[in-house]
């Protein structure tokens, strides 16, 4: 699977989380807003624990997912910002007559500007999308069909670790999947026999999710999880 495609799948999941959480908050936990749950730079483990205690067991599961994706996204954008700083100071990518390089620098500069002032989880998720969209198509280039300036940008992205960053994001998701299954089993243990029957479709999905080993198939399957919060 192409790593950039995987990041795009993750981004779709991020929007699903935001939407599901907003509906959950509106219906069940009006005291907690998305930004309070996952403030980009100021939330603490104690605050998270206190907030989680106010939720129903099912909403705790969604809360856990939201915080986990926040943490993955934070790591992604922090590393992307470091890569961007290196790209902008690279001698071969300094402003010149190349419109390709100038446009790339403009996008990377805009990413850094937004990174330095973002606030809240939706803006954080948007940053993941911004960086991925800015860099993704370069990893599809071939020497036979691409202009020299495009290949130069691809070379620099490789040099500073952008491709490795996306592979790491995939690894983080797979680790999250293991933790999520453990959390789900904890949720299941808190339910009565009647509640277990009511959530049977959800638990059937979990067993399907556990059995998937391929990263691409696993993230597409995970999108189904958010549908259980759409009612």
């Amino acid at each position: 699977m192409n790593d950039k495609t995987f990041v795009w799948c993750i981004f779709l999941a991020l929007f699903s989380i935001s939407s599901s959480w907003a509906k959950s908050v509106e219906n069940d936990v009006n005291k907690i807003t998305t930004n309070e749950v996952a403030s980009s730079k100021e939330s603490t483990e104690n605050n998270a624990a206190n907030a989680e205690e106010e939720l129903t067991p099912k909403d705790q599961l969604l809360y856990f997912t939201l915080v986990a994706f926040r943490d993955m996204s934070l790591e992604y954008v922090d590393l992307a910002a470091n890569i961007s700083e290196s790209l902008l100071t690279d001698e071969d990518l300094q402003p010149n007559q190349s419109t390709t390089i100038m446009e790339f620098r403009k996008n990377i500069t805009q990413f850094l500007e937004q990174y330095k002032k973002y606030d809240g989880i939706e803006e954080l998720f948007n940053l993941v999308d911004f960086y991925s969209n800015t860099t993704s198509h370069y990893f599809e280039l071939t020497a036979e069909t691409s202009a020299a300036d495009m290949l130069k940008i691809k070379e620099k992205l490789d040099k500073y670790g952008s491709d490795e960053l996306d592979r790491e994001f995939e690894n983080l998701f797979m680790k999250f999947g293991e933790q999520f299954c453990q959390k789900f089993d904890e949720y299941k243990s808190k339910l009565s026999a009647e509640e277990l029957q009511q959530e049977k479709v959800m638990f059937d999905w979990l067993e399907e999710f556990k059995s998937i080993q391929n990263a691409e198939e696993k993230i597409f399957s995970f999108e189904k999880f958010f549908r259980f919060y759409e009612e």
Side-chain angles (χ1 to χ4, degrees):
M1 177 186 182
N2 179 276
D3 295 315
K4 289 294 180 178
T5 302
F6 184 84
V7 173
W8 176 245
C9 293
I10 289 283
F11 181 68
L12 292 177
L14 297 179
F15 268 112
S16 297
I17 293 172
S18 295
S19 176
S20 299
W21 180 254
K23 291 177 181 178
S24 178
V25 169
E26 180 179 353
N27 293 333
D28 300 316
V29 282
N30 294 319
K31 294 181 181 179
I32 302 174
T33 67
T34 301
N35 283 345
E36 287 172 331
V37 169
S39 175
S40 57
K41 296 178 180 176
E42 298 177 357
S43 63
T44 64
E45 291 184 3
N46 287 336
N47 288 339
N50 292 335
E52 188 173 0
E53 289 178 358
E54 299 185 37
L55 306 177
T56 65
K58 186 174 181 179
D59 280 333
Q60 287 179 13
L61 190 60
L62 182 60
Y63 181 96
F64 168 80
T65 302
L66 180 66
V67 171
F69 272 78
R70 175 207 62 185
D71 292 345
M72 285 190 285
S73 298
L74 280 171
E75 183 166 344
Y76 183 89
V77 299
D78 286 347
L79 292 173
N82 290 336
I83 292 170
S84 297
E85 294 281 6
S86 297
L87 290 166
L88 290 178
T89 57
D90 190 287
E91 291 184 0
D92 293 333
L93 296 180
Q94 293 309 300
N96 55 31
Q97 299 300 315
S98 168
T99 56
T100 298
I101 289 179
M102 293 297 289
E103 181 66 21
F104 179 75
R105 286 183 58 86
K106 175 184 175 182
N107 291 335
I108 290 296
T109 300
Q110 187 176 351
F111 166 77
L112 281 173
E113 290 173 349
Q114 293 185 14
Y115 168 78
K116 292 174 182 178
K117 64 181 181 181
Y118 78 90
D119 181 29
I121 197 162
E122 291 186 9
E123 292 184 16
L124 172 64
F125 291 168
N126 285 338
L127 280 172
V128 174
D129 180 52
F130 194 138
Y131 184 82
S132 182
N133 280 342
T134 298
T135 59
S136 61
H137 54 288
Y138 291 100
F139 292 92
E140 305 296 327
L141 300 179
T142 61
E144 294 77 13
T145 60
S146 305
D149 287 338
M150 298 283 285
L151 292 173
K152 182 183 294 185
I153 293 172
K154 179 181 184 298
E155 175 188 344
K156 298 303 179 179
L157 287 169
D158 288 338
K159 176 181 178 180
Y160 296 114
S162 190
D163 195 31
E164 294 178 6
L165 170 61
D166 290 335
R167 284 196 292 271
E168 177 61 20
F169 203 51
E170 178 177 335
N171 292 335
L172 288 173
F173 173 78
M174 296 301 284
K175 291 178 181 177
F176 156 76
E178 296 176 2
Q179 297 169 348
F180 173 82
C181 290
Q182 294 175 0
K183 193 73 172 179
F184 209 119
D185 287 337
E186 291 176 15
Y187 162 61
K188 188 175 180 180
S189 68
K190 298 177 182 178
L191 301 183
S192 66
E194 181 180 355
E195 290 170 327
L196 287 171
Q197 184 60 36
Q198 291 174 347
E199 298 289 3
K200 183 179 184 304
V201 175
M202 194 177 189
F203 297 136
D204 288 345
W205 166 80
L206 176 64
E207 295 308 312
E208 171 192 304
F209 178 76
K210 286 181 177 179
S211 68
I212 299 173
Q213 302 300 317
N214 177 272
E216 180 178 9
E217 294 176 7
K218 208 168 187 71
I219 185 60
F220 276 118
S221 175
F222 195 75
E223 289 187 66
K224 297 177 184 177
F225 166 69
F226 306 114
R227 299 176 189 172
F228 300 113
Y229 292 85
E230 292 179 350
E231 297 180 356

